Amino acid sequence: MNNVFSHSLFTDFDIELFKAGKHYRLYEKLGAHCIERQGVLGVYFAVWAPTAQAVSVVGDFNYWSQDAHPLEVRWDASGIWEGFIPGIQKGALYKYKIQSNTNAITTEKADPFAFYCEQPPNTASVVWDLDYNWKDANWMQKRHQHNSLDQPYSVYEVHLGSWKRKGPDNRFLTYTEFATDLVDYVVTMGFTHVEFMPIMEYPYDPSWGYQLTGYFAPSSRFGKPEDFMFLVDALHQAGIGVILDWVPSHFPDDSHGLGFFDGSNLYEHPDRRKGYHPDWKSLVFNYGRNEVRSFLISNALFWLQLYHADALRVDAVASMLYLDYSRAATEWEPNCYGGNENLDTISFLKEFNQAVYANYPDVQTIAEESTSFPMVSRPTSMGGLGFGMKWMMGWMHDTLNYFKKETVYRKHHQNELTFSMTYVFSENFMLPLSHDEVVHGKGSIATRMPGDEWQKFANLRLLYSYMFTHPGAKLLFMGCEFGQSEEWNFQQSLDWHLLQYPYHNGIKELIIALNSLYKKEPALHEKQFSHDGFEWINYSDHQNAVLSFIRKGNNTKDDLVVVCNFTQIVRDNYRIGIPRGGNLVEIFHSDAKIYGGSNLQNAIEIPIELIAYDARAYSAAIQLAPLGISVFKII
């Protein structure tokens, strides 16, 4: 080999783990690593290409010549090619030139394990290291408290490319600019976590990051890897957790990506019925292949270990679980038991969750799963998939469908609101008002509310207040927190100028108050995933479109009474049953003037009377604001 000599980072045990699908730290071995060997500085390269006849490293250091730096294949049938090239330094551009031994195909691929990539549309990998001095030790020591299922979990979902842009050229903010602008804003708003739509490198902006080519590299659109670490660090120091969208469900067929990597179906399933996704016209991982499982689980642990992520939200889980997902009857084949479940995927997801929680018990995994697949957020020891939480898509669709109706018709559709309570505790649910609900012609959340301007914003305040008092964790997409008027456009900033208008600023103040209420009141989070945390007072007042219920914490004194009026009719002396005697104190009402409401509020203390009502011995007469929610404590 010309100027190339092998100095393997692999031990025999590494190879055994890799072949068995149990090597969860592959990023320490495969890829490009700056090392010193026998007093010589250079880069060790290793790539998995089992059907290759020849592999070489091409880059700006050898004029992209495939003959200059060939790699050697290991003797152990692992399919790994490796070599050490002296003199190369951090920042060098490179790819792998791969000649297949099964056909005449030659591919030129980016490194699947690259830590850094050229900024799109360029596609080369960049030799890099991940040397960063973290300052978030206090957060990391205590994050089990922030990520616990009995703590408030309020998530702000962010697309970095369009949260805010700057200058006449509409440029992206950098990771370091986000570390000031975004962090300050999230702290002000009171969210507990930020969820980043995929920040792993992706070639095509309209994919929003969900078509990945650089699984181990934060996108260079916004800066260098250590700059993204700086952003995560800043969020942690401000007391904010970081959730990363993770996409193990599919990947694009870009020529420099994972598809047909070594001239064969290496990462994707060879059966197109399992290896191609018709909705997204992308390739699907072969979850039954051990080496692919090692790749994916290593990637998950990589972001938790090296970037201190606090949670992974796994995208498109439903598409992974079902063999017939978005496929015609002739486009799928039942499993060995005659069912439509993808058994390889189920096994993989269980192993993924087991690996995550075994190594990082203080984080969460969150499934975007839109079907009734059972026990998604139950431990694998109980037969579940092992996720910590699951998005409550049914609640989202039913609730938005209800709220778009004119108030005069709502009395006929109250079951759309109450139905969620029949299954809300079957999983650890997160209530999402996500990016998917403000694109593709759906309009913004605000513009889907019925009525005149006052009613639209009152309905929006009502929707958010109902969401924050409903059992479960919360997720709100950026812009929703101030009533963004236009549908989300990934090519431009949010409409921040709207905050000069009272109604929009009122929604912002409402979200600040709801986040504060959620964090302050134990009854809203201590038992948010338990039957013990919720009790109906009355769900059958369809005629008035009113719901009332109790949220419970560990101590009875923390119980909250919540009453929701889903019409614009003011209701005086509205009587509700109360579990015990004392007085009611209104601690929150969505109709407050600061939120843009009419400021119709209850007396400071409302006496609870020994008058039987709603199957309870005690009751109280309250006032219901138009399109409003009131939250009371019993003292």
Side-chain angles (χ1 to χ4, degrees), residues 235-358:
L235 284 162
H236 282 173
Q237 291 179 60
I240 306 297
V242 176
I243 305 169
L244 301 182
D245 271 15
W246 187 56
V247 191
S249 49
H250 63 112
F251 58 93
D253 61 359
D254 293 58
S255 60
H256 69 287
L258 296 177
F260 214 54
F261 188 81
D262 61 353
S264 72
N265 301 118
L266 189 61
Y267 288 92
E268 67 271 24
H269 199 287
D271 184 342
R272 194 167 176 83
R273 293 172 297 180
K274 297 181 180 179
Y276 179 76
H277 200 293
D279 282 358
W280 303 308
K281 296 178 174 56
S282 53
L283 303 175
V284 179
F285 285 104
N286 185 353
Y287 304 107
R289 188 164 192 170
N290 287 341
E291 296 89 345
V292 173
R293 293 164 78 107
S294 279
F295 169 81
L296 288 171
I297 295 175
S298 290
N299 184 245
L301 300 191
F302 169 83
W303 294 102
L304 298 171
Q305 174 65 34
L306 277 75
Y307 283 88
H308 290 198
D310 301 289
L312 297 174
R313 176 265 193 186
V314 183
D315 183 62
V317 172
S319 74
M320 301 169 65
L321 288 173
Y322 296 102
L323 296 167
D324 60 345
Y325 186 91
S326 286
R327 290 175 172 85
T330 58
E331 296 175 338
W332 69 283
E333 183 180 55
N335 62 35
C336 60
Y337 302 107
N340 65 344
E341 300 88 0
N342 189 324
L343 302 180
D344 286 337
T345 294
I346 293 170
S347 171
F348 162 72
L349 289 173
K350 289 181 177 182
E351 184 178 354
F352 151 72
N353 279 309
Q354 288 168 345
V356 167
Y357 285 110

Side-chain angles (χ1 to χ4, degrees), residues 407-622:
T407 56
V408 67
Y409 302 116
R410 288 180 176 176
K411 62 184 178 182
H412 304 297
H413 299 275
Q414 192 142 311
N415 62 301
E416 292 182 8
L417 290 182
T418 58
F419 180 65
S420 65
M421 293 305 176
T422 66
Y423 67 96
V424 64
F425 302 115
S426 64
E427 302 275 4
N428 297 333
F429 278 120
M430 175 179 285
L431 313 183
L433 292 176
S434 73
H435 65 274
D436 281 328
E437 298 313 303
V438 293
V439 291
H440 302 318
K442 295 178 181 178
S444 70
I445 300 293
T447 56
R448 286 149 77 177
M449 301 294 106
D452 58 21
E453 185 180 37
W454 188 92
Q455 288 190 28
K456 282 183 181 295
F457 280 91
N459 269 301
L460 192 60
R461 295 192 298 270
L462 177 61
L463 167 63
Y464 292 156
S465 300
Y466 176 64
M467 173 185 182
F468 272 80
T469 54
H470 188 288
K474 328 295 176 188
L475 179 139
L476 198 62
F477 183 58
M478 64 182 198
C480 294
E481 80 280 6
F482 60 80
Q484 170 95 3
S485 298
E486 297 298 321
E487 187 173 87
W488 172 51
N489 183 348
F490 72 92
Q491 296 177 304
Q492 65 187 41
S493 287
L494 298 177
D495 293 333
W496 294 105
H497 65 277
L498 292 175
L499 285 170
Q500 66 184 300
Y501 302 111
Y503 280 140
H504 292 277
N505 192 66
I507 297 296
K508 176 185 174 183
E509 293 296 331
L510 176 85
I511 296 300
I512 292 173
L514 287 172
N515 273 322
S516 176
L517 184 74
Y518 181 37
K519 290 188 286 189
K520 179 181 178 182
E521 296 299 331
L524 293 179
H525 58 257
E526 285 183 342
K527 295 182 178 180
Q528 59 190 334
F529 303 118
S530 169
H531 287 279
D532 296 335
F534 179 88
E535 180 183 336
W536 282 116
I537 294 176
N538 190 331
Y539 59 82
S540 60
D541 188 3
H542 303 266
Q543 193 62 37
N544 291 316
V546 174
L547 289 177
S548 52
F549 53 87
I550 303 170
R551 291 297 309 277
K552 302 178 180 181
N554 294 329
N555 297 311
T556 304
K557 66 179 180 61
D558 294 324
D559 288 356
L560 299 179
V561 173
V562 182
V563 188
C564 318
N565 179 13
F566 293 99
T567 73
Q568 70 272 33
I569 299 172
V570 176
R571 304 198 184 279
D572 293 315
N573 296 313
Y574 186 89
R575 187 165 291 275
I576 58 171
I578 303 295
R580 60 183 184 274
N583 292 294
L584 285 183
V585 176
E586 190 174 54
I587 62 171
F588 170 85
H589 69 108
S590 64
D591 191 51
K593 183 177 181 180
I594 190 175
Y595 312 140
S598 58
N599 212 37
L600 192 64
Q601 58 186 359
N602 283 276
I604 295 176
E605 290 189 9
I606 302 170
I608 297 173
E609 302 170 279
L610 191 59
I611 299 176
Y613 207 81
D614 290 331
R616 289 173 172 80
Y618 296 92
S619 64
I622 61 175

Side-chain angles (χ1 to χ4, degrees), residues 167-181:
D169 57 350
N170 196 36
R171 71 166 178 85
F172 296 129
L173 269 67
T174 65
Y175 290 127
T176 52
E177 288 174 320
F178 282 115
T180 298
D181 293 14

